[in-house]
Structures are given as C-alpha cells and as structure tokens.
Amino acid sequence: MSEPLVLGIETSCDETAVGIVKGRKLLANVIASSVEEHARFGGVVPEVASRAHLEAMPATIQQALDISGVKLKDVDAIAVTAGPGLVGALLVGVSAANGLALALEKPLYGVNHLASHVAVDLLTHEEEIRPTIALLVSGGHSSILQVSDITSDIKSLGQSIDDAAGEAFDKIARLLQLGFPGGPLIDKEAKSGKVDAISFPRGLTNAKDLAEHEFDFSFSGLKTAVSRYLQATPEFVRADVAASFQEAIVDVLLQKSIKACLQTGIDSLVIAGGVAANSRLRTVAQQRCAKAGIELRTPPPALCTDNGAMVAALGSLAVAAGRPASSLGLEAASAISPSIPIWA
Ligand code: KG4
Ligand code: ZN
C-alpha cells in the first residue's frame, strides 16, 4: 500500500494527541494537554495524566476525524505509542487503539515514541527518504541515532548518561524560578541575555571523556555549575544565566551530532523531540550544518513537541514498507530502546 491512511494516538506523557496521515501528508493533528493540571506540582503527575487522557480521548479522536474529513471505516491502520513513557498514561492510548483496531478489523501498529519523533520530519517535505543522523532531544531522552531505515534500522550511537536535555532545561528553569515546563521559558528568557556572559562546562567533550563517551552526553555537571553560580552570585542576571546555560547545551548537542555526521559520512541531520523546538538550537544548527555541508532538517516547533501526527507518520511508513503489524494484545512499555521502531 503506497499511501496508507493512518490514525495515530499518543498518550506517553501529558498530551492526549491524535493525528491522521495519508502517506506522508498530514491531514489532522489535534492535541489536548493536561500540562496546566501539573504545573503547580512542577512536573507531570502520572495518575493525573492518565485520568486526563481518559477524559480527553473520545473528543480528541472525533475532532481529528472532523478536521480531516476522514471516516473511521476508511482508515487503513491504527498506530499508537507503545512506549517509552508513563505506563498508566500509555495504557489509555493503547487500550483505545486496541478497541479501534478490533472494531474496525484493521491492523494495529505499536510505535516507538522516540522513533516517531524522528519520523515526523517526513511529513514536512516530499523528498526521497535517505539515511540520516538524528539528534533526538526530549524531556526523557537525548540520543544520537544513525537512522538507515526509520521503520527497521536505527542504531544508537550515544545517549545521555544522566539527565536528558529537556530535563536539564526543566531543572534549571526551576532554579531560576521560571515555571514548568522550563524549556520554552528558558528559550524566551535567554533572548535578552548574553550567551557568553558565563562560561558553563560542556560535559564529556575533553579528550579523555571523548575516548569513552564519543557520542554520549552528560548534563549533571552543567546543572551543578549553574546551581553553584546562582548561590555564589546573589546579584545574578537571570537572562544571562539562561542564555549561557542554553548555549552550553546547544554547543555540546551540535558538536557531537555534526561529528557523528562527519564520521559516518552521512550528510543529513534531523533534530527531533521537544528540545528541537528551541530557537537557539535551531539557529546555531543552521550555521554549523551549512559550514559542514550537512543538510539540516528541524520540523516546525509544533511537530517537535509530543503530538499524534508523528505516531501516525511512523505507522504510515511501517504500513507502506510492509512491516508486520503488532498483536492486538500489545503491551505498553515504560522503556523501549530507540533501535526498535515497531513494538510487536
Ligand atoms: O518530546 P517532548 O514534548 O516530550 C517528551 O517526550 O519528553 O519534550 C518535552 C521537553 C520538555 O523538557 C520541555 O522543557 C522541552 O522539551 N522543550 C524545550 C522547548 N520546548 C519544549 N526545551 C528547550 N527549548 C524549547 N523551546
Ligand atoms: Zn516526546
């Protein structure tokens, strides 16, 4: 099937999201977020997220159908995030998808949330699909992936050995009393700050660390450095701290991603996941990739953070590639390696 019509459901964290895709064309992308219910706790509360998914699911599916003009009976397959994520939250999406697939007698594809962050890029252009390096940076993961085939061949070259990039943004935002989720707030605050005001450490970039952790990241030292700086500098300038912290993260992420491109001989880089919405990361990536002769893709910010279109996109690519469907008894898994795009 060359242009499958796929409905995708995402519930791994606090977004109840439904996307509808035909082939590589996006028809609908509806998101109901429970983020405001979690903000006062400074992080996502799993039980609250699960209940919010249950409440939002029927209307979100209906809205996606209305926007796309698609009838459920015409859908070729159902795709759903099987993991990684909060198990109680994932179960709501997986149960809904199971029910739909069973009632419609259509195949069910349990997709990997991480691979689907990368797959969403393919909805944004019509060019031939070719191997790429992917920098995947979200609230729970930071990895450099070698993607030979997004539905079957993904190799992890490195990942964070402590905090994820998004987690680092969220923690520093808390220290700076900016609120939750921290990434977009630091991004905004940093716009009026100086990127070189404070020299913060770039983890795992010296020769000794590179020998063992060439493509791995570490952000815990950076977090400690920011925290010490704030304690030692009562008159600190918030925008400067935000800009300098952000610069340190952006610098390391790009140093390693570009090195991965050069070393593998792959002249394509996709930056995906929530942190890929970061404006400074996008700007510096453009400059450095242009200099290195690497083709850069950064999906529009709304497709970088969690959404249903990315799930439908990976499902659609899997159907088109003739990959076997998942079983109807599909399990939700809190941890799945990024190298398994479709969960059996
Ligand atoms: O991919 P995502 O939406 O959810 C997960 O799969 O985790 O990523 C969420 C993360 C959060 O840590 C959030 O602070 C971060 O992405 N984020 C950003 C920006 N927008 C979202 N980080 C930096 N700059 C942004 N503009
Ligand atoms: Zn995500």
Side-chain angles (χ1 to χ4, degrees):
M1 195 180 296
S2 69
E3 297 226 308
L5 182 62
V6 177
L7 181 141
I9 298 177
E10 153 66 36
T11 62
S12 69
C13 193
D14 57 343
E15 269 92 23
T16 313
V18 177
I20 299 180
V21 157
K22 180 158 180 62
R24 284 168 62 184
K25 189 162 183 270
L26 176 58
L27 303 182
N29 189 27
V30 180
I31 300 172
S33 175
S34 61
V35 68
E36 277 163 22
E37 293 176 53
H38 309 286
R40 66 193 166 102
F41 300 106
V44 175
V45 185
E47 171 89 13
V48 174
S50 303
R51 287 176 186 277
H53 287 312
L54 206 53
E55 270 172 41
M57 186 61 70
T60 311
I61 294 175
Q62 189 58 55
Q63 211 181 332
L65 293 169
D66 291 346
I67 289 171
S68 60
V70 163
K71 298 227 169 358
L72 260 185
K73 67 174 177 45
D74 296 327
V75 163
D76 295 311
I78 303 293
V80 64
T81 301
L86 304 168
V87 167
L90 290 165
L91 280 172
V92 179
V94 168
S95 304
N98 249 315
L100 283 173
L102 191 64
L104 297 167
E105 299 182 14
K106 294 290 160 66
L108 173 69
Y109 285 81
V111 310
N112 184 322
H113 181 81
L114 307 174
S116 68
H117 265 303
V118 179
V120 81
D121 163 63
L122 296 165
L123 299 178
T124 67
H125 62 93
E126 291 175 355
E127 279 162 45
E128 197 186 326
I129 302 177
R130 60 188 191 101
T132 190
I133 295 295
L135 169 64
L136 173 75
V137 271
S138 70
H141 294 82
S142 311
S143 305
I144 295 185
L145 307 173
Q146 180 173 344
V147 183
S148 303
D149 180 330
I150 190 70
T151 66
S152 66
D153 189 356
I154 302 175
K155 190 171 136 198
S156 177
L157 301 181
Q159 59 268 310
S160 176
I161 60 170
D162 40 56
D163 292 350
E167 206 176 343
F169 270 97
D170 294 338
K171 285 182 178 169
I172 299 304
R174 204 172 303 149
L175 287 179
L176 293 174
Q177 298 186 331
L178 282 168
F180 172 85
L185 300 166
I186 290 204
D187 195 345
K188 195 164 159 227
E189 182 74 22
K191 286 196 196 303
S192 53
K194 289 200 265 316
V195 297
D196 56 358
I198 310 139
S199 170
F200 285 129
R202 271 68 169 157
L204 303 183
T205 55
N206 66 35
K208 189 166 153 273
D209 287 335
L210 281 174
E212 204 186 325
H213 294 288
E214 192 168 27
F215 297 119
D216 291 332
F217 301 111
S218 167
F219 300 114
S220 68
L222 173 59
K223 193 182 63 193
T224 308
V226 175
S227 165
R228 288 216 179 109
Y229 176 85
L230 295 178
Q231 276 165 9
T233 324
E235 72 291 3
F236 69 84
V237 178
R238 192 157 77 167
D240 284 348
V241 179
S244 302
F245 156 76
Q246 179 173 268
E247 200 67 9
I249 292 219
V250 165
D251 184 23
V252 177
L253 293 176
L254 293 174
Q255 271 188 38
K256 299 209 174 200
S257 305
I258 289 176
K259 192 169 182 203
C261 288
L262 299 177
Q263 215 169 91
T264 53
I266 297 175
D267 64 350
S268 164
L269 175 65
V270 174
I271 307 186
V275 179
N278 185 267
S279 63
R280 183 67 186 161
L281 177 61
R282 296 166 83 91
T283 304
V284 180
Q286 244 164 27
Q287 293 162 354
R288 294 199 193 171
C289 285
K291 208 163 154 199
I294 295 164
E295 184 189 10
L296 171 70
R297 288 194 195 287
T298 43
L303 292 181
C304 288
T305 43
D306 290 349
N307 63 81
M310 66 192 213
V311 179
L314 184 50
S316 163
L317 293 164
V319 175
R323 304 277 167 237
S326 309
S327 67
L328 276 185
L330 177 70
E331 283 188 39
S334 61
I336 308 181
S337 151
S339 58
I340 306 173
I342 309 295
W343 192 236

